[in-house]
Amino acid sequence: MGKSSENGRGGLGRRTLLKGTGLALGGIAAAGSGVARAAQQCLGVGDCYPTAERRDRYSLFERLDTISPFRPVAPGEMRITFMGSGFPPARPAQEMMSVFVQVGEGPGGTKPDQVVLDCGSGVAGNYTAMNVGFARMDKVFVNHLHGDHMSDLTTFYCFGPATDRKKPLYVWGSKASGVENPWFDPGRPEDPVTNPRLYEDGTIEFCRNLRKACRWHTESFSFLSTAVEGWQDETLKWVPASIPREKVDPGDPDGDGFALYAIELDWEVPGVAYDNAETGMRVTHFPVVHARKGSMGFKVEWNGLRMIYTSDTRPETMCVEQASGGEGVDVFIHEMVPPADATVLRSLRLRQVPEEGTELRAQFDETVAMVQTVYENSHTPQGAFGHLVSRITPHPRLTVAAHFSVGDDTIACAKQSILNHCGDWIRWLGRQPLLGDERGYMTWAADRMVLSVTRRGIKQLRADVNAYAPAPLSAAQGTPLAPKYPSPTSDIDTTRVIQPGEDTYCASGY
């Protein structure tokens, strides 16, 4: 390994962790899956958390070199920006999940491109801070339909046509889950409203309902032009013909900014979701295990670079398969959660487990049990994360833990679990870039963290943003079409409006 690691192995090594346990430390088995065969220590609350580190900062992120939101993506660069990185409920330091992947010009003159992976609540503000207008948020890939992964679709959809997205919004997501309703009564006639056997819980139905829910908004903004001349349906070039795609409201004009297209993917098997010959970007999908059937991960490939974003999932083998083999992946982004008791200690702002027999201990135990139930349904604790990553061969150049409530305290504990499984090879990426094809580095995502990925190396950066920055405005491409409503007052009652005049206020607005 080169000098990319700011902290080397960081903290305690695995050999130190196992010291005194009576467990012999073996090597990592070279055969087969690359799984660590060494005896491992199961850490517990008190052994790992709480730590002596601070809860109110993420020191590494604060020390990173900065990047301007106005710096264009370079030829040959894949740029990955975390517009949201947190675990619900949201907190000011971390909005919900969204990853913005941009690629520059490629070999042979391929055009730049970009996709949005998830768009959870609150992330629209980070897109604004990063100078990303709505026209560049037109292709959204939703890993699953939890609120923390799709809530800001409402903002993307509603306000795009009022600015620079004068074309449809495209949303990729899973087909219906096929999970039978446990409250279905076979003794009564099946009815989609009063007695459904299966829910219509796929992406097309979700987008239909989003379109309906936003009707008041879309009509109220349609005194503006929301389309341009010469639109062509590019999904015919991007999306394999076998994949269901639908303009969810047939009444919306083709090419209108308020037209919403849903592309529904078969979550049961891996497949191609997007393949753009003009840019060279390709997005494939694969099933993961999270909450309900229908959750997916995505792989983005371009110019010999590969990144995986699994979104939320329990530790499972498909992620390992997708990340392993061949030249491996450059960036592997996977969710991580602290152990249930550590999560509850932090949430209750406690420094130690409450004493037995107290009311606070009863609350603590009950909450830990609830969190553990959620994890069994949905998530990857930090120790399982370490084990999963140890199975990927070759190692990713950079592994990123996301959907994690970052702080110096939680990261210090998580590092111990990671070292327990990957201590023979893992390195923590710091300010210095990862060079060339070096592999086996790791970091933790934060909002507005930027990964500049090229064949020459990977560098993590902190975006230097203005929290008070205005939304980016850019001219829409093309000649505007006439708006649906002929004037800005067509669908309002102006009877009681105070008009500008000599004895009221200036028409200029000043």
Side-chain angles (χ1 to χ4, degrees), residues 66-121:
T66 60
I67 182 173
S68 167
F70 302 96
R71 186 173 115 185
V73 179
E77 177 189 7
M78 175 186 284
R79 185 177 298 176
I80 301 168
T81 304
F82 290 91
M83 300 296 191
S85 61
F87 191 87
R91 57 185 188 155
Q94 291 180 282
E95 302 295 355
M96 297 296 91
M97 284 306 306
S98 187
V99 181
F100 188 51
V101 184
Q102 305 170 81
V103 298
E105 293 180 359
T110 56
K111 300 176 182 178
D113 203 354
Q114 65 283 315
V115 293
V116 174
L117 306 179
D118 281 341
C119 54
S121 60

Side-chain angles (χ1 to χ4, degrees), residues 115-135:
V115 293
V116 174
L117 306 179
D118 281 341
C119 54
S121 60
V123 303
N126 281 332
Y127 279 90
T128 292
M130 293 299 297
N131 196 47
V132 179
F134 287 107

